[in-house]
Amino acid sequence: MSQQQAKILIFDSGVGGLSVYKEIETKLPQLDYLYIFDNAAYPYGELDHQTLIVRVDALVTSLVEMHQIDLVVIACNTASTVVLPTLRAKLAIPVVGVVPAIKPASNLANKAVGLIATPATITRPYTHDLIRDFSQSKPVELLGSTRLVDMAEEKLRGNPVDLDELKQILAPIYRHVDVAVLGCTHFPLIKPEIQQVLSSNVLLVDSGEAIARRVADLLKESVAAQIKREGTKEILSTAPPWDEGALNIALRQLGFSPVQHFPLEI
Ligand code: DGL
């Protein structure tokens, strides 16, 4: 982009999209970032898909208009598997989605792939199409868990992950797979703990880096060349953020000012 820097809207149900933000911001620190999380309806992995489409559509389309956004990242696998066609039909700007990295995982696996995602993502036709198209030769074991999503939310609020509990949750894929897909954007936030439980024999794959490359491509931003400024970073939540002191500490480290309230009226 020329004079004015592009502004990106990043969307998730909670703090998971921050794992994607980190990848994009590392590549493109000069851009302006607006992050919105729909925690009034969290967890998305337990919502029916029509509710999800209505909420994401309402939030994203209003913010794009209010803030003159240049590109949207739906940094949520659960939402991306259903809302992308609706958003793309409505918006004139690029909408980048995040879907489970089944294809690279299958290429890397010798034995089997584990897909760790939300309960909704593992049942979505979109996910099953990905498996059919890109992992014909390697079996894919599905593990859907909302508790894992909660653990990432809690970690960002200063509560460490309980490794025994994590071990129990991951037991169904333990020793069965050699590559595991982190198919929810919350999970890279607890990647060290997942790696510790599954052991270093299991390769963990997520989509964050690929999304950052896609964003840079779409905005035609060359990575280091344009860095003349630090972009602005704002964060909004749909539930009142009155009790988010601990989260604000983590957010400050990522460059954000404290969470502000953006209620959804449908
Ligand atoms: N971060 C989300 C995802 O990538 C959703 C987590 C949730 O709200 O259940 O799927």
Side-chain angles (χ1 to χ4, degrees), residues 169-180:
I169 297 170
L170 297 175
I173 60 165
Y174 184 64
R175 297 225 167 109
H176 292 207
V177 304
D178 57 335
V179 177

Side-chain angles (χ1 to χ4, degrees), residues 12-14 16-17 42-46 75-79 118 121 146 149 183-186:
D12 188 26
S13 60
Y42 168 94
Y44 268 19
E46 313 261 335
C76 173
N77 293 261
T78 310
T118 64
T121 298
T146 293
V149 186
C184 167
T185 54
H186 278 73

Side-chain angles (χ1 to χ4, degrees), residues 49-100:
H49 86 269
Q50 201 44 42
T51 309
L52 222 146
I53 291 175
V54 170
R55 293 191 71 88
V56 181
D57 179 10
L59 284 165
V60 170
T61 50
S62 55
L63 284 168
V64 163
E65 208 179 294
M66 284 167 65
H67 290 263
Q68 296 171 351
I69 298 295
D70 298 291
L71 181 145
V72 176
V73 179
I74 302 301
C76 173
N77 293 261
T78 310
S80 294
T81 54
V82 290
V83 304
L84 296 179
T86 308
L87 292 177
R88 286 179 178 148
K90 279 194 158 175
L91 297 171
I93 56 171
V95 179
V96 179
V98 179
V99 294

Side-chain angles (χ1 to χ4, degrees), residues 185-204:
T185 54
H186 278 73
F187 301 162
L189 301 173
I190 54 168
K191 184 175 177 178
E193 292 85 351
I194 295 176
Q195 189 75 72
Q196 191 179 333
V197 165
L198 291 181
S199 92
S200 54
N201 298 332
V202 177
L203 186 67
L204 301 180

Side-chain angles (χ1 to χ4, degrees), residues 31 39-40 57 94 183 190-191 201 210 221 234 238:
L31 302 186
N39 54 341
D57 179 10
I190 54 168
K191 184 175 177 178
N201 298 332
E221 288 279 346
E234 289 170 83
T238 52

